[in-house]
Amino acid sequence: MKKPTLYFLPGLAADRRLYNGYRFPEHDVRFLDWVEPLGRESLNEYSYRLAKEVDTSEPFVLEE
């Protein structure tokens, strides 16, 4: 059985370095980076663009 992908989205004022040193052998780990907001983009639109990075066709876990 394929390992579920574990996506990390660091909190505000942080990036993937927050998770340096952590190991998750039971998961395929991916880090989501914040994307640059576009002009007058709504929070809903921004979230949709960010969520496109998550492959929902396979089991996954999203952590912040």
Side-chain angles (χ1 to χ4, degrees):
M1 184 164 141
K2 184 177 189 275
K3 298 178 185 180
T5 301
L6 178 58
Y7 291 93
F8 280 95
L9 179 63
L12 293 176
D15 61 21
R16 66 179 60 218
R17 293 174 294 177
L18 178 66
Y19 306 108
N20 284 350
Y22 289 94
R23 301 290 177 255
F24 302 92
E26 66 280 3
H27 290 52
D28 174 20
V29 177
R30 301 215 178 135
F31 298 97
L32 299 175
D33 293 316
W34 293 104
V35 295
E36 190 68 30
L38 302 175
R40 298 180 58 88
E41 179 177 44
S42 70
L43 182 57
N44 187 47
E45 293 165 329
Y46 179 86
S47 300
Y48 181 77
R49 282 195 308 119
L50 188 59
K52 286 181 182 179
E53 299 300 316
V54 177
D55 178 3
T56 59
S57 69
E58 299 286 340
F60 71 94
V61 178
L62 180 62
E63 288 290 331
E64 64 174 327

